[in-house]
Amino acid sequence: MKKAKRTQDHLIFKISLLSISIFLMMAPAISPALPLMYHAFPGVDQAGVETLATIPNIGIVIGLLISPFLIRFIGEKATILTGLVVTLLSGTFPMYATAYTPILISRFLIGAGIGLFNSLAVSLIPQFYGDDEEELATMVGYQNVMGGLGAAIASFLISYLITISWHAAFAIYFLVIPVLILFTIFVPLPREKVDENNQKKARQKQTVNKKVIMIAIFMFFIFLFYMPMSFKIPAFVVEEKLGTVSELSLLTGILNLVSIPVGASFGFFFKRLHDKIFPIGFLIVAIGFLVIAMSVNFVMLAIGSLILGIGFGLSVPYMYNWLDWSAPKNSVNLATTIVLVLVNVGCAISPMVLNAITSSAKMCLLVSAIFFGCFTIYAFIHYLRAHKN
C-alpha cells in the first residue's frame, strides 16, 4: 500500500513556505531609481533621498523586536500574513505619493513589515523538516538563496519600470500578492504546544562576551561602508556617464543571481582555506570597491561589482561563523539579535555618514575601498596572532 504524502512533502507547500523569503533582501532594490528622485523633492538633499533606500533597515529592527510578542498573541501564521500585508501596502504607497515625508514613513514601514516575518522565514523550516536531516539541509539551502533570487527578480523588473518613472519602480512590491495567496492557502500553521523542556530553555539567561560585542561593532562598520554599493553606484554611473540606471538595474539583477552560487560555495572554500578566508575575503571586497571607483566604462564597473560580490559572499558568512564560535553557550540567539540590530542601524545611517565625509559618489566609493583595505590589514594581523597562539 502506497504511503500517503505528508503536507510538507508537496511541491506547492514547499514553494509557498519558501516564497516569503524572496522579500528579505528586496527593500533596497529601488536604489537604481534614486538618481531620478534627486530633484523630485524640493528642499531635500541627496543624503535624504538616499535614506529612502536604507531607512527600511531601521524598520526591520523594530519588526524583529515586535515579532516575538505578536506571535505570542496572534500566532505565527497571522504574524507572517500581517507582515506581508504591511509590506504590500507600504511598499506600493510611493507609486501614488509625491511628498517626501509620507514616502519616508512608508519605507520605514516596509522594513517593519519584513521584520515581522524575517526570523520566521528561517525558523519555520525546522518545524516541518526537523525529523529529516537531509531534507532540512536541502530546505535551509533553498531558503538561503531565495533572498538573492528575490533581489534579482526585483532588479530585472526595475530595469524596465524606471524607464516609465521612479514611481513605477515601487510596483515590484505587488509581488507580495501571489505570495500572500500561496501562504494563506497552502501553509497550515497550528499553534504549537511548548513543552516544559522548551520553556526551561527559554528561561535560561543569555549573556554576551567581549568577542560578541567586538564582532557586532565590526559588522556595524562593515555594513556602514558596504552600503554605498547600493545607494552610491547609481549616482556614480550618472556622474561619470558610464551607462543608464536601467542598465545598472539589469547588472544588479545578474550580480544577485551570481551571488547565489558564491554564497552556497562558502562551505567548500572554508574547508580549504579555513581562517585565511577572513583576510582574503575582505581584501577582495577592498579590490572590488577600488575597481568600481576607478571605472571608466560600464564593463569595468561590472567586473568591479562581480569582484565585490565574491568578496562579500566569502567574508560575511565567515563573520557569522565567528559569531557562532564566540558566543557563550546557549546565547547564540541573543548574540545574533545584537549583530542584526547593529547591521541594520549601520545600513540605515550609511548615507548620512558617507555624505558627511564627501558628496562625490566616486570619492565615497574610494572611502569604502580605504576602509576595507584597513580592515584587511587588521584581519591579516588577527589571523597571524591567532595561529601563532
Side-chain angles (χ1 to χ4, degrees):
M1 189 176 173
K2 196 175 179 181
K3 191 178 177 182
K5 265 191 173 184
R6 302 174 303 167
T7 302
Q8 57 263 48
D9 293 331
H10 289 88
L11 179 61
I12 189 66
F13 172 86
K14 293 179 179 179
I15 292 171
S16 303
L17 181 65
L18 293 170
S19 65
I20 61 173
S21 295
I22 70 171
F23 303 109
L24 300 184
M25 294 169 59
M26 202 181 278
I30 54 93
S31 294
L34 292 176
L36 305 177
M37 301 167 71
Y38 287 146
H39 304 294
F41 309 111
V44 179
D45 61 11
Q46 188 170 318
V49 175
E50 289 169 352
T51 300
L52 294 175
T54 58
I55 192 67
N57 294 93
I58 295 294
I60 288 172
V61 172
I62 303 302
L64 281 168
L65 297 175
I66 293 173
S67 181
F69 299 100
L70 202 58
I71 291 168
R72 201 174 297 170
F73 286 108
I74 64 175
E76 292 172 334
K77 185 166 185 174
T79 299
I80 292 169
L81 296 180
T82 301
L84 288 171
V85 170
V86 172
T87 302
L88 172 63
L89 296 178
S90 56
T92 55
F93 177 79
M95 290 182 67
Y96 326 107
T98 54
Y100 174 77
T101 302
I103 292 176
L104 183 68
I105 294 170
S106 74
R107 296 294 294 161
F108 169 81
L109 289 174
I110 192 175
I114 292 170
L116 288 180
F117 60 83
N118 196 322
S119 59
L120 287 168
V122 180
S123 62
L124 283 181
I125 294 173
Q127 283 190 32
F128 290 100
Y129 301 99
D131 58 345
D132 187 333
E133 194 173 317
E134 287 186 11
E135 186 75 4
L136 175 62
T138 301
M139 288 296 288
V140 168
Y142 288 147
Q143 192 279 326
N144 283 332
V145 305
M146 288 301 282
L149 182 62
I153 292 169
S155 297
F156 290 134
L157 290 173
I158 285 175
S159 68
Y160 166 72
L161 292 170
I162 55 178
T163 62
I164 303 171
S165 71
W166 66 262
H167 290 282
F170 294 89
I172 59 168
Y173 297 109
F174 280 122
L175 288 170
V176 174
I177 293 175
V179 172
L180 189 60
I181 294 168
L182 284 171
F183 199 87
T184 302
I185 297 173
F186 297 108
V187 182
L189 281 177
R191 287 180 178 272
E192 275 196 316
K193 289 181 181 177
V194 183
D195 60 34
E196 288 181 16
N197 289 333
N198 283 339
Q199 286 180 338
K200 193 175 180 181
K201 191 175 179 181
R203 284 195 297 266
Q204 287 178 348
K205 188 178 180 182
Q206 296 194 52
T207 58
V208 294
N209 54 27
K210 288 180 180 178
K211 279 190 177 179
V212 168
I213 294 168
M214 180 182 72
I215 293 167
I217 293 170
F218 283 163
M219 291 291 274
F220 168 81
F221 283 107
I222 287 166
F223 278 85
L224 177 73
F225 286 97
Y226 178 77
M227 281 308 287
M229 171 65 183
S230 171
F231 65 81
K232 273 299 179 190
I233 288 185
F236 176 67
V237 169
V238 173
E239 284 177 14
E240 303 295 320
K241 297 181 174 59
L242 301 180
T244 66
V245 286
S246 183
E247 289 170 340
L248 175 63
S249 187
L250 197 61
L251 171 65
T252 304
I254 294 168
L255 292 174
N256 278 319
L257 288 179
V258 170
S259 71
I260 292 171
V262 172
S265 63
F266 173 77
F268 170 83
F269 286 107
F270 184 76
K271 282 180 183 177
R272 283 151 184 80
L273 297 172
H274 301 288
D275 291 341
K276 294 185 187 75
I277 282 188
F278 188 27
I280 291 172
F282 284 106
L283 175 62
I284 296 171
V285 171
I287 293 170
F289 266 113
L290 188 61
V291 172
I292 291 169
M294 296 291 112
S295 295
V296 293
N297 53 50
F298 197 77
V299 173
M300 192 172 173
L301 175 73
I303 292 169
S305 300
L306 180 61
I307 293 169
L308 179 58
I310 291 170
F312 204 70
L314 293 175
S315 53
V316 169
Y318 178 85
M319 295 300 292
Y320 280 109
N321 272 20
W322 188 12
L323 180 69
D324 289 343
W325 303 328
S326 304
K329 191 177 179 182
N330 299 321
S331 297
V332 174
N333 286 343
L334 177 61
T336 304
T337 301
I338 291 169
V339 168
L340 283 174
V341 168
L342 283 180
V343 161
N344 282 286
V345 171
C347 291
I349 68 170
S350 183
M352 291 173 276
V353 174
L354 271 298
N355 279 289
I357 296 171
T358 175
S359 59
S360 164
K362 182 171 185 172
M363 285 304 298
C364 182
L365 293 166
L366 278 173
V367 167
S368 289
I370 291 167
F371 167 80
F372 283 107
C374 295
F375 196 77
T376 299
I377 293 169
Y378 164 79
F380 183 68
I381 293 169
H382 176 86
Y383 168 78
L384 291 178
R385 281 180 180 171
H387 284 266
K388 187 179 179 181
N389 292 335

